[in-house]
Amino acid sequence: MLMNVSDSHAAATGALRGQEIVELLHEDQEFKPRVLLVDDDARMLASLKSLLQGKGYVLTVATGGQEAIDLLSEARFDLVILDLNMPHVTGHDVMEFINRSKRRVNVIVTSGASEIDAAIGAIRSGAFGYLRKPYSGAELFKTAENALQQCKLESENQRIALRLERSERMYRYLVDSSPDIIYTLDAKGHFTFINSRVQQLLGFERTELIGQHYSLLVHEGDMERANYVLNEGRGDFVRSRSVELRLKSRRDDHQVRIFSIELALTDLGAFAAQGAGELGPDQRKNMGTYCVARDITERKRADEQIAYQAYHDILTDLPNRALFNDRLGLALLQARRNQSLLAVLFIDLDRFKVVNDTFGHGVGDVLLQHVALRLKGCLRRCDTLSRIGGDEFTAILPELGNRQDAALIGEKFVACMSEPFELAGQTVHVSASIGVTLYPDDGLSIEELLRNADVAVYHMKSKGKNGYAFFEAGFLDGSVQKIALEHDLHLALEHGELEMYYQPQVDISTQKIIGAEALMRWNHPQRGFLSAGEFLPFAEESGLIIPISNWMLEAIFRDLLEWRICSGDALRLSINISPQYLDRGEIFERLKQALQRYKVPPRQIEVEVTENICIRNPQSAIEQLEKLCQLGVSVAIDDFGTGYSSLSYLHRFPIHTIKIDRSFVMEIQDPDAQYPVVLAIVAIAKGLGLNLVAEGVETLVQARYLAAADCKIIQGYLCHRPMSQNRFIALLQEQFAVGPGPQQS
């Protein structure tokens, strides 16, 4: 049933009247007539009551007119059997009260008067019936039943009317309270009904839309689709369908909102006549449309935002790897079709990790945003710049004239990165290493072009960074070897190909071994023994340095148990720790567990770290080293003097030993010459009260010079080469069982 717009709002908010509520409260109860018996003659009243007793009535008696009026004021009655001739307040007075107060109750009048006028007067006053005294019980009962039957029918009709009214009010309320716009259109597309939600969502009053065509609301760009669904689409006679349309807002001509609209052809009159059967062609032409329009603007915006973020880097707002690959695929198709030149650039920032570690990730993120803006400013509108992760960017340069066009962009990239960045009040310099590949010369697929550009980046980094390099086929040879080595390194741990070697440290004055440095070797199945410098850099790049370091700790502690059988606690073992291993913070727990499990005194362990680890992220390094010192182990700085700002950082670190780098020791050739760097390092160690060890001692001249400079502990080929565990145990057995000094080997 369709509503009239004029009365829908008032009806929706109207309230049921008090008497209606009373009727509704009784609508589901069994009908038991309430009968009021009124007579001033006590005998007649008792006789009347006895006649009706047991007939299923609820009887109430009143001995006079005033008492009857009082009872009618307080309670509901279905029937009143009323004597007209009563003193003071007559039956006529009671009927006048009933009419005046609009009580819905039938009245049967009884009277001893024989005049016809008395009966006529009673009927005119609204009485249902008239009984002349004396009357029979059958006559009374029949008249009462007829009156009550009429009362029952009237009550039923009233209840049905109240139910219908309440249902309609509820329906109207639900329609107007719906979060969706609900409306109906006639066969020509004019509004015949629309709820109040349209005013809240679009700013239109309902009254100004009734009779108007739906095109008043539809955005011009969606009008063709709306016409098809709401008009031409009727030819298919699909009873229901859905469509997404943009609807205009009255508040702002430029603002549109997106609605999902469910439509259903409807004609209640036709459906009532036809039932559920199919409608004829003529009837279809007269069908109206029932529509529910749901506002999905925010959902569509959220979907668009999610879709955008799925293909863009959130930090820089550049295309991400997925969108880059998609655009590169399209660019390759176009280049293949037009037989044109296309370039792919791989940009890797130099020293970005230093900035990130020094100033924090927040500043690092700001730097990446500035870099993205600078690089994008060097490109054409048809080019694509993307961030594929970390500090790595890629660029697509389609429709190039020649190789020099790609070189020009590479030069622009290098130049724009040469300008300093102002970040967090600091001036930061960051350069970039760039690899360039060309289609079709350097690859025909996305994978080939990106791989070869990455290879060119590594080549550029090996040449000193801060520049660009075009890919050359020869670059692949070194890359293939590197990949193969990384693969073999994965297998080395599984196959037990790694071994620990030890190079003794000797006291010059006593010629005794006082400790040793643990050095890793790889017994490669094809390439033979490889030193740590030949494979550990690859382990750090590939992330294998963590499991390798874990393996090393277990291996040296097992070996240390054999040492102690020969030497007790006399020897100190130096362990080289990777910067990555220290940064991860795992070494503290693993070293603690190993010391407890193997029952090794912490004073026997010395952890060696390179000088640069203290410069790269000093605060983190200090925290990790202090935790290690809490275990009771000592800390040594390896390769001292080869880093930067050594003196400014040295006093802040919990260091026990300085190791003079072999590069300074090798310079000692003349026993009578002065070597100020070596003397300065010795002086620093003495001034700070630190132990001192010289590495790479290969000649007697070097050993004697160091001894004269007050460096007593040396390590190098002059004394011993690095050796296997078995050879080192044999050497310890000679020293601690027999007593001679260490032999040269």
Side-chain angles (χ1 to χ4, degrees):
M1 177 171 67
L2 300 179
M3 298 177 289
N4 293 324
V5 175
S6 59
D7 66 354
S8 63
H9 183 69
T13 57
L16 295 175
R17 296 183 296 274
Q19 184 62 27
E20 295 171 343
I21 294 175
V22 172
E23 296 294 338
L24 289 173
L25 289 173
H26 290 83
E27 66 179 10
D28 294 326
Q29 298 178 4
E30 183 182 355
F31 182 69
K32 290 185 177 182
R34 295 173 57 86
V35 180
L36 177 61
L37 308 178
V38 185
D39 202 311
D40 62 331
D41 187 335
R43 290 180 303 168
M44 288 296 297
L45 190 62
S47 176
L48 181 60
K49 184 176 181 181
S50 65
L51 287 173
L52 297 177
Q53 197 79 39
K55 301 295 185 181
Y57 306 146
V58 179
L59 301 176
T60 304
V61 296
T63 58
Q66 185 59 50
E67 186 180 357
I69 291 174
D70 293 341
L71 289 171
L72 286 168
S73 300
E74 297 173 358
R76 178 185 64 84
F77 292 94
D78 300 304
L79 176 63
V80 177
I81 300 177
L82 176 67
D83 182 26
L84 283 179
N85 300 316
M86 293 181 294
H88 307 301
V89 179
T90 68
H92 292 287
D93 296 329
V94 174
M95 292 189 66
E96 184 182 351
F97 168 77
I98 291 173
N99 292 331
R100 187 173 62 252
S101 61
K102 298 181 180 180
R103 300 289 176 186
R104 292 194 296 113
V105 58
N106 285 341
V107 179
I108 297 175
V109 174
T110 64
S111 176
S114 59
E115 296 81 4
I116 191 64
D117 292 341
I120 293 173
I123 297 301
R124 285 179 176 176
S125 296
F128 176 81
Y130 179 85
L131 293 177
R132 182 175 176 276
K133 298 179 182 179
Y135 46 79
S136 66
E139 185 181 6
L140 173 64
F141 184 71
K142 182 178 179 181
T143 306
E145 279 296 303
N146 290 337
L148 289 171
Q149 183 63 29
Q150 184 189 53
C151 180
K152 183 176 181 180
L153 290 174
E154 289 177 355
S155 297
E156 287 294 333
N157 290 336
Q158 182 65 22
R159 277 195 290 270
I160 291 172
L162 289 175
R163 286 177 178 176
L164 288 174
E165 183 180 353
R166 183 176 62 173
S167 176
E168 185 174 357
R169 289 179 186 178
M170 181 61 70
Y171 165 73
R172 291 174 179 175
Y173 175 77
L174 292 176
V175 169
D176 272 343
S177 301
S178 170
D180 304 326
I181 298 175
I182 300 175
Y183 60 95
T184 57
L185 304 173
D186 62 19
K188 295 182 179 180
H190 297 95
F191 289 103
T192 56
F193 166 78
I194 191 164
N195 68 349
S196 59
R197 190 65 172 168
V198 70
Q199 196 278 331
Q200 301 171 32
L201 294 178
L202 299 177
F204 289 91
E205 294 291 341
R206 295 183 299 177
T207 53
E208 62 182 311
L209 292 176
I210 298 301
Q212 298 294 325
H213 194 263
Y214 63 78
S215 58
L216 179 67
L217 293 184
V218 180
H219 187 270
E220 291 80 3
D222 291 348
M223 189 60 67
E224 182 177 353
R225 185 163 67 252
N227 288 337
Y228 174 79
V229 173
L230 292 167
N231 192 10
E232 287 85 348
R234 292 171 178 270
D236 300 335
F237 194 63
V238 178
R239 287 189 181 274
S240 63
R241 62 181 69 210
S242 61
V243 63
E244 287 187 8
L245 296 175
R246 289 172 291 174
L247 301 184
K248 293 182 289 189
S249 171
R250 187 171 186 177
R251 299 187 184 94
D252 186 353
D253 293 338
H254 301 289
Q255 180 186 12
V256 295
R257 301 191 70 82
I258 305 171
F259 286 80
S260 173
I261 303 175
E262 299 291 332
L263 310 100
L265 297 180
T266 181
D267 187 328
L268 295 180
F271 278 5
Q274 295 288 327
E278 291 294 329
L279 299 179
D282 294 336
Q283 291 169 317
R284 295 177 191 176
K285 294 179 181 178
N286 297 322
M287 295 284 288
T289 308
Y290 170 78
C291 308
V292 177
R294 173 158 296 181
D295 188 353
I296 59 171
T297 307
E298 299 306 323
R299 192 192 78 190
K300 295 290 286 187
R301 288 174 180 169
D303 290 345
E304 291 172 0
Q305 182 67 18
I306 292 171
Y308 183 84
Q309 291 179 355
Y311 291 99
H312 289 80
D313 174 55
I314 296 177
L315 180 63
T316 62
D317 205 34
L318 294 176
N320 61 12
R321 185 187 296 271
L323 183 56
F324 174 83
N325 288 342
D326 185 60
R327 291 188 179 179
L328 180 54
L330 293 175
L332 287 174
L333 289 175
Q334 184 178 4
R336 191 174 298 118
R337 182 169 55 249
N338 300 336
Q339 296 184 346
S340 59
L341 188 66
L342 176 147
V344 174
L345 280 66
F346 197 112
I347 305 104
D348 186 271
L349 301 186
D350 304 323
R351 300 185 67 252
F352 174 74
K353 191 175 188 307
V354 175
V355 175
N356 225 18
D357 292 342
T358 303
F359 299 106
H361 293 285
V363 174
D365 289 346
V366 175
L367 174 60
L368 290 173
Q369 292 171 336
H370 285 291
V371 168
L373 290 174
R374 287 194 186 181
L375 295 178
K376 195 172 182 179
C378 299
L379 298 175
R380 305 165 298 172
R381 292 178 61 88
C382 63
D383 300 332
T384 295
L385 177 69
S386 73
R387 177 178 175 233
I388 61 173
D391 59 347
E392 296 177 337
F393 297 81
T394 51
I396 306 170
L397 311 180
E399 299 295 334
L400 296 180
N402 50 52
R403 179 187 179 96
Q404 187 57 36
D405 290 342
L408 180 62
I409 297 297
E411 292 170 359
K412 286 184 177 181
F413 280 174
V414 173
C416 79
M417 295 297 295
S418 64
E419 296 295 325
F421 294 87
E422 299 296 329
L423 303 172
Q426 299 287 334
T427 300
V428 177
H429 292 269
V430 177
S431 59
S433 297
I434 304 167
V436 186
T437 53
L438 300 174
Y439 170 87
D441 299 340
D442 302 328
L444 301 178
S445 67
I446 296 175
E447 293 76 15
E448 284 183 302
L449 290 171
L450 285 175
R451 182 198 65 193
N452 293 340
D454 194 15
V455 170
V457 167
Y458 276 100
H459 178 75
M460 187 66 244
K461 285 184 176 291
S462 67
K463 291 175 59 178
K465 307 178 181 180
N466 190 25
Y468 69 94
F470 281 89
F471 170 76
E472 297 178 12
F475 295 169
L476 283 176
D477 296 337
S479 298
V480 170
Q481 291 180 7
K482 174 185 172 184
I483 293 172
L485 190 63
E486 289 181 359
H487 174 70
D488 291 346
L489 196 53
H490 277 275
L491 298 177
L493 277 172
E494 299 176 13
H495 298 168
E497 297 171 0
L498 299 179
E499 299 180 21
M500 294 308 303
Y501 270 50
Y502 302 95
Q503 186 171 32
Q505 297 172 344
V506 177
D507 186 327
I508 296 179
S509 60
T510 64
Q511 296 286 296
K512 299 286 187 182
I513 298 174
I514 56 91
E517 179 182 356
L519 302 169
M520 196 178 301
R521 295 291 184 264
W522 180 8
N523 189 5
H524 194 279
Q526 286 82 38
R527 301 174 61 180
F529 273 92
L530 301 179
S531 65
E534 295 178 89
F535 64 89
L536 285 184
F538 297 112
E540 291 185 338
E541 289 183 16
S542 63
L544 282 173
I545 194 64
I546 304 302
I548 287 177
S549 298
N550 291 337
W551 172 87
M552 178 191 70
L553 282 180
E554 291 297 318
I556 61 176
F557 270 90
R558 285 195 302 267
D559 290 349
L560 192 57
L561 290 180
E562 293 189 62
W563 294 19
R564 300 183 70 206
I565 295 175
C566 302
S567 60
D569 299 343
L571 300 183
R572 182 176 62 240
L573 174 61
S574 296
I575 308 170
N576 290 285
I577 297 300
S578 162
Q580 287 187 25
Y581 200 50
L582 189 67
D583 289 343
R584 287 280 291 269
E586 293 184 9
I587 184 175
F588 174 79
E589 285 299 328
R590 289 195 174 269
L591 191 56
K592 178 181 178 181
Q593 293 171 8
L595 289 169
Q596 294 173 348
R597 187 165 60 254
Y598 291 98
K599 303 187 184 309
V600 172
R603 65 177 180 275
Q604 263 195 285
I605 303 298
E606 185 169 69
V607 175
E608 290 191 15
V609 294
T610 61
E611 182 181 12
N612 287 335
I613 200 174
C614 305
I615 300 167
R616 185 185 59 178
N617 193 354
Q619 188 56 44
S620 175
I622 289 172
E623 293 174 359
Q624 295 298 331
L625 294 177
E626 285 181 343
K627 287 177 65 178
L628 294 179
C629 290
Q630 292 173 10
L631 294 176
V633 304
S634 58
V635 177
I637 291 290
D638 195 13
D639 305 332
F640 185 77
T642 60
Y644 305 94
S645 305
S646 306
L647 297 179
S648 63
Y649 284 112
L650 190 59
H651 70 282
R652 298 173 54 192
F653 289 85
I655 297 168
H656 306 86
T657 301
I658 291 178
K659 300 188 75 173
I660 304 174
D661 187 66
R662 63 182 301 116
S663 60
F664 301 124
V665 173
M666 289 177 62
E667 293 179 359
I668 302 173
Q669 303 292 335
D670 185 349
D672 299 322
Q674 293 293 315
Y675 299 96
V677 174
V678 174
L679 296 177
I681 295 173
V682 173
I684 291 171
K686 291 178 64 177
L688 295 176
L690 303 176
N691 300 321
L692 190 62
V693 178
E695 294 182 302
V697 179
E698 298 182 356
T699 66
L700 286 173
V701 170
Q702 294 168 350
R704 289 167 181 166
Y705 186 90
L706 290 167
D710 207 16
C711 176
K712 304 298 185 182
I713 310 300
I714 62 174
Q715 174 183 338
Y717 286 2
L718 176 65
C719 303
H720 301 281
R721 294 175 178 271
M723 62 187 69
S724 67
Q725 167 74 352
N726 291 337
R727 177 72 184 90
F728 187 65
I729 292 296
L731 196 62
L732 293 180
Q733 289 173 343
E734 292 180 19
Q735 173 173 313
F736 287 93
V738 181
Q743 300 176 359
Q744 297 184 20
S745 57

